[in-house]
Amino acid sequence: MKSWLDQLSLRYKLTFAALAVEGIMLAFLIGNGMQSTNRELQQQGEQRVTELAKMLSVALQAPLSQQDDASTRDIIETLLDSNGLKMIEVRDSRNRIVHQVGADDADADFRRQIPIELAGQRYGEAILVLSGRFIEEARARYIQQSLIIAALALLLTSLLLALSSSWVIRRFTLLTRASKQMAQGDLNIKLAGEGGDEIGQLIATFNSMAESVRVNVERARENEARFHAIADYTHDIEFWLAPNGKLLWINPSVERMLGFSVEECMALASFPSDIIHPEDRAAAEFQMRQSLRGSAGQGYTFRICRKDGGHFWAMANWQPIHDGNHVYQGLRASIHSIDDIKATEADLRHALNELRMAETLQRKYLEEIDQERARLVSLLSAMNLGILFVAADGRVVYHNPAFNHTWMIDESIELIGLPVHDALAKSNSALARPDHFSNHLLSVLETREISDSFEIAMTDGRVITELDYPVRDRDGHFIGHLWVYEDITRERQTAEQLVYLAERDALTGLYNRHRFQQELTRTMLETDRHFIPCAVMFFDLDEFKTINDTYGHRAGDALLIRVAGEVSALIRRNEVLARLGGDEFAVLLPAAQGNEAEALADRVIHAVSQIPFRFEGRNLRVTASLGIAYYPTHAADADELVARADIAMYQAKQAGKNTWRVFRADLEADTEMRNRLSWSERISNALEKNLFELHFQGVYRTDDRALSHLEALIRMVDERNPDQLIMPAHFIQLAEKSGRILDIDRWVIGTVVQMLANNPGIPPIAVNLSGRSLSEPSLPQYISESLRTRSVNPSRLIVEITETAAVSDLHDAQRMIEALRQMGCGISLDDFGVGFASFAYLKHLKVDTIKIDGMFIRDLISDPDNQVFVQAMVSVALGLGKSVVAEYVGDGKTLSLLRQFGVDLVQGYYLDKPVRKHPALQGLIE
């Protein structure tokens, strides 16, 4: 019923309500009318029956008193029919029913019992029953009429209500529709019908309310838009937590920052605890519980986990929210990333630490700078180079004492702040070319680039070089010049001296072989150009080796110097005197006219033989043998000319020595010449066609017979018979005379170094260096470059120098040995003991090893003298800190004896023979 009523419109509800009220009122009125009518009818019935009873009592007084039953009956029937009585019963005084008409069967009837008395005498009684039917009929009529009237009233009321409510409800319907439209968001509504009545006032109120709502809604929308613009698009995460900690709202920034969507966050059981880093979660949850009690907070830092598993440092700020009634509604919080701040803090801490370190370093550096400045000033003051700093404006800002010394400026003169021209004008030394220097100075001051070295000649003969360096600050801005002055007078003299030494024999001061070859080539070209013959004279000292071995190298050196001096006095300016090595000398005559060469040869032989030479109290006499060869008479090239002069010298020796000879083309000389030229050609051919090969023989330790190193021995393949090897004794001496030994030595060194480079695991290798190579100035550089370019450890290369070669040219030997020692190569003195007359020279040769000559080893077991010699040599060598090698060990007894003598290393056929593929070279890469 209720739901049905709820579904009815207001119109019907009002109609039903009005009709219900009216029906209730009508029912009340009808009921009240019926009650009033019943009372009236009852009263009327009572009054009627009372009146009839009185009338009946009067009418029956006579008959009853007379006991006239018939009259009684007639009266009763008459009265019953005419008065609407329902029953009349008459009883006599004895209570006997005299007559009864009708019946009494309804409760609504009116009943009266009245006595019949006459003159105070009771004659009986009469009972009247007046029918109550008229009352029911009256009631029925009344109800009928009332219902009709009520129906008409209700109908009329319905019509009136329908008309009135239609007008009223229509306005209410408009209000309802407007309300629905407002509920649906249409706020631009204004109803017509405003008036003075209640509905008109209601419409006016509604319009006012709608306008207010519209304004408020628009304002709320604007505020909401602003709120979303602020909250949704803030860089930080903004959210609202209920007092119980449940997430009520969160802005979309959470997806950008964490990867979680708003829906995922809303679905989390506990936000933000679920996204806090596990290590920070407990502390954060405690802080959140405290904050949810209504306290504000800010600056709380913790780590938040992203959806992808990463995390970042964040800071949270929060504020409690209250409504208009100051009721606590929860927390509004914001979370923003502080990774940058943390990184900045880390950077700041790092920067602070670095700043502290930098400050410490700065103090340290300042101290070091002060120290460095002091050292620099001391260094600049101690330098031999003159240093002058000139500012960009051309004024002096610094100079060291060497500058004053170089320019001979009194140190008491203050130069700082002076223009550079004025500062240099304080010099006590005059310029050889002042105008030239002034132009140079102006040019240097104008340029800001590094200038080439400029030489300044002074009138006192000194030479000063100037180097200009532009000085720039850290940003590359030019701030001045640095001028470096050096007095190179001595260096210039030294350079000239070095040139001199490179071309001169260190002992005698004469030209050496290298310069002689240059002069010979130049002279032969001049001869070809001007058709003027030239001559070459070769001479050496007879029995010089005996003097050297007997009296030692000091006596030999002194004799060579004396001979050079005496012969130099005989040589003219255009002629060349050279020492080729040992006791060999050569003279070049550019223009040999007539018998000038023979006359000079005679003077040379005579001068040498007349040299008074006294050494350690003994008078020594020396002679010379000299040979002459002419170009182009005797030879077509330089090698042939030198070879024939050498043959002529040996022809002079064969003639009895102390004489000279011009080359004579006899059979013997021609044969020797052809032999020399043949070997020279064969050597050249072998070098060109790679016909040389190396054989290797081991050098072993005496204590355990373990291999120490290998010695490389050269062999030549016979071109006519490739299976035949030519031993070095056949071509080495001729190669030394022709100069091809230098090429052979270089080939051996280059081949061995390449083997060492290709095979890092093989033992060190020793190579033999000829006497001619000792005086070759470029050989040390060749060895050094070979080792460096092939990345070979120099200690793996051992160089052997024969004793005779070293002693015959001690100065060249010392120079070569020192160069090899600086490289790091091992050095061995070969054939030791041949010049046994004196050990004094051994301390001047800084070799690592001496190799005792085989002549002392071959018969060591059976020759007591050799044993004494060997023991003495071993004792001297070990005393000088050198190791000892014994060669030509042929049996085990010799090896045992050498071990007893203290010999370190041994070599010989007993241990192994020279072979090309030595066992130590297994897997050799050539």
Side-chain angles (χ1 to χ4, degrees), residues 800-834:
E800 294 190 2
I801 302 172
T802 62
E803 179 193 14
T804 53
V807 173
S808 64
D809 201 340
L810 186 61
H811 295 283
D812 288 339
Q814 287 176 326
R815 188 166 56 248
M816 177 63 71
I817 289 171
E818 181 61 26
L820 293 172
R821 285 178 62 83
Q822 290 181 2
M823 291 181 212
C825 297
I827 307 165
S828 179
L829 189 62
D830 198 6
D831 299 337
F832 185 75
V834 175

Side-chain angles (χ1 to χ4, degrees), residues 308-326:
D308 59 7
H311 67 272
F312 62 90
W313 278 99
M315 178 183 288
N317 301 318
W318 61 92
Q319 187 72 27
I321 301 174
H322 298 85
D323 61 13
N325 297 322
H326 303 288

Side-chain angles (χ1 to χ4, degrees), residues 8-224:
L8 294 178
S9 64
L10 179 61
R11 175 187 299 176
Y12 294 112
K13 288 181 180 179
L14 290 175
T15 302
F16 288 150
L19 292 177
V21 170
E22 187 175 4
I24 292 171
M25 293 300 295
L26 289 173
F28 175 76
L29 290 174
I30 294 173
N32 189 45
M34 287 181 65
Q35 290 179 359
S36 298
T37 302
N38 283 336
R39 284 194 302 268
E40 290 293 332
L41 290 176
Q42 287 288 345
Q43 291 177 1
Q44 290 178 9
E46 291 291 340
Q47 186 177 2
R48 174 80 174 163
V49 73
T50 300
E51 291 177 352
L52 288 177
K54 288 178 177 181
M55 185 175 65
L56 180 61
S57 174
V58 173
L60 290 179
Q61 286 178 356
L64 282 180
S65 62
Q66 300 173 3
Q67 296 182 358
D68 185 2
D69 292 336
S71 296
T72 299
R73 185 171 54 250
D74 291 336
I75 293 169
I76 292 170
E77 291 178 0
T78 300
L79 185 62
L80 180 66
D81 294 333
S82 61
N83 290 292
L85 292 175
K86 189 177 181 179
M87 182 195 77
I88 298 175
E89 180 181 352
V90 179
R91 293 179 180 268
D92 58 15
S93 58
R94 293 185 301 274
N95 202 21
R96 180 182 62 78
I97 297 172
V98 179
H99 188 72
Q100 181 180 358
V101 181
D104 182 10
D105 56 0
D107 293 336
D109 294 338
F110 296 95
R111 183 184 180 90
R112 287 287 185 269
Q113 184 176 349
I114 59 174
I116 301 174
E117 294 179 352
L118 182 63
Q121 179 70 31
R122 177 179 172 93
Y123 293 101
E125 61 182 359
I127 298 172
L128 298 178
V129 177
L130 181 63
S131 174
R133 182 176 179 84
F134 75 94
I135 295 176
E136 293 177 0
E137 291 175 354
R139 185 186 298 136
R141 287 192 301 271
Y142 178 78
I143 290 173
Q144 182 180 6
Q145 293 173 358
S146 296
L147 290 177
I148 292 172
I149 293 170
L152 292 175
L154 289 175
L155 179 60
L156 181 60
T157 300
S158 299
L159 291 175
L160 292 175
L161 284 175
L163 293 175
S164 61
S165 65
S166 174
W167 177 74
V168 172
I169 293 304
R170 180 174 59 82
R171 300 170 78 184
F172 276 114
T173 302
L174 292 176
L175 286 172
T176 302
R177 291 174 181 173
S179 299
K180 289 181 179 180
Q181 289 177 353
M182 287 182 63
Q184 293 173 357
D186 185 5
L187 303 179
N188 296 317
I189 296 175
K190 186 173 182 180
L191 297 177
E194 295 182 6
D197 60 354
E198 289 79 358
I199 297 178
Q201 294 177 3
L202 180 60
I203 291 174
T205 303
F206 176 83
N207 288 337
S208 176
M209 180 188 69
E211 177 65 19
S212 177
V213 168
R214 184 184 64 77
V215 172
N216 290 333
V217 168
E218 288 180 357
R219 188 176 302 162
R221 286 175 178 174
E222 291 177 359
N223 293 334
E224 183 179 8

Side-chain angles (χ1 to χ4, degrees), residues 693-696 709-714 744-760 762-768 782-783 786-787 790-800 825 921 924-926:
E693 63 180 43
L694 294 177
H695 287 218
F696 301 91
H709 62 273
L710 299 173
E711 180 180 5
L713 304 171
I714 192 168
I744 294 175
D745 284 348
R746 287 179 180 248
W747 180 87
V748 172
I749 292 170
T751 303
V752 169
V753 171
Q754 189 63 51
M755 288 177 60
L756 293 172
N758 294 341
N759 304 274
I762 64 175
I765 299 178
V767 297
N768 291 280
Y782 172 77
I783 297 174
S786 297
L787 294 170
R790 295 176 175 87
S791 301
V792 175
N793 188 340
S795 62
R796 298 180 65 205
L797 179 67
I798 302 171
V799 179
E800 294 190 2
C825 297
L921 302 177
L924 178 69
I925 301 175
E926 298 184 358

Side-chain angles (χ1 to χ4, degrees), residues 49 231 344 346 478 799 855:
V49 73
T344 303
F478 176 78
V799 179
M855 63 179 287

Side-chain angles (χ1 to χ4, degrees), residues 379-605:
L379 175 63
L380 292 176
S381 300
M383 288 177 63
N384 292 326
L385 299 175
I387 304 297
L388 181 68
F389 285 102
V390 180
D393 60 358
R395 295 184 178 273
V396 175
V397 294
Y398 174 81
H399 63 91
N400 68 344
F403 172 78
N404 296 63
H405 177 74
T406 302
W407 282 93
M408 295 184 178
I409 299 174
D410 192 343
E411 294 186 1
S412 61
I413 298 176
E414 181 60 42
L415 301 180
I416 305 300
L418 292 179
V420 65
H421 298 86
D422 298 343
L424 294 176
K426 305 292 184 182
S427 174
N428 293 324
S429 180
L431 296 165
R433 300 176 61 189
D435 294 340
H436 183 59
F437 178 71
S438 296
N439 293 333
H440 165 73
L441 197 60
L442 290 172
S443 175
V444 168
L445 287 173
E446 291 175 358
T447 186
R448 294 183 178 181
E449 303 295 333
I450 299 176
S451 64
D452 295 331
S453 177
F454 180 77
E455 290 190 0
I456 306 169
M458 312 301 288
T459 55
D460 57 6
R462 293 183 304 126
V463 178
I464 300 173
T465 60
E466 178 192 86
L467 285 174
D468 173 56
Y469 297 93
V471 181
R472 303 183 186 276
D473 61 15
R474 183 177 299 177
D475 298 326
H477 299 136
F478 176 78
I479 60 175
H481 295 271
L482 168 64
W483 288 341
V484 180
Y485 294 98
E486 182 179 10
D487 187 343
I488 63 168
T489 306
R490 181 175 297 177
E491 284 75 6
R492 183 62 56 83
Q493 294 171 351
T494 301
E496 293 173 353
Q497 182 66 22
L498 289 175
V499 174
Y500 175 84
L501 293 175
E503 297 178 343
R504 301 279 177 165
D505 176 57
L507 179 63
T508 62
L510 301 177
Y511 282 149
N512 57 16
R513 182 185 293 272
H514 178 69
R515 179 59 184 272
F516 177 77
Q517 291 287 352
Q518 291 180 338
E519 291 295 326
L520 177 59
T521 302
R522 183 184 60 79
T523 300
M524 292 177 70
L525 291 173
E526 291 293 325
T527 298
D528 293 339
R529 186 179 296 112
H530 300 292
F531 303 103
I532 300 175
C534 65
V536 170
M537 296 191 301
F538 262 38
F539 71 91
D540 66 3
L541 304 182
D542 300 326
E543 307 302 333
F544 175 77
K545 187 175 184 302
T546 301
I547 296 174
N548 212 28
D549 290 345
T550 303
Y551 298 100
H553 73 280
R554 288 195 301 114
D557 289 350
L559 180 58
L560 293 173
I561 293 171
R562 187 64 181 274
V563 170
E566 293 294 335
V567 176
S568 294
L570 305 176
I571 301 301
R572 294 178 296 184
R573 185 180 297 274
N574 65 329
E575 297 170 347
V576 177
L577 172 62
R579 180 186 174 218
L580 303 183
D583 62 333
E584 292 184 348
F585 295 85
V587 179
L588 175 61
L589 286 73
Q593 301 289 344
N595 61 349
E596 289 180 355
E598 288 84 347
L600 178 58
D602 191 62
R603 291 196 301 272
V604 169
I605 295 298

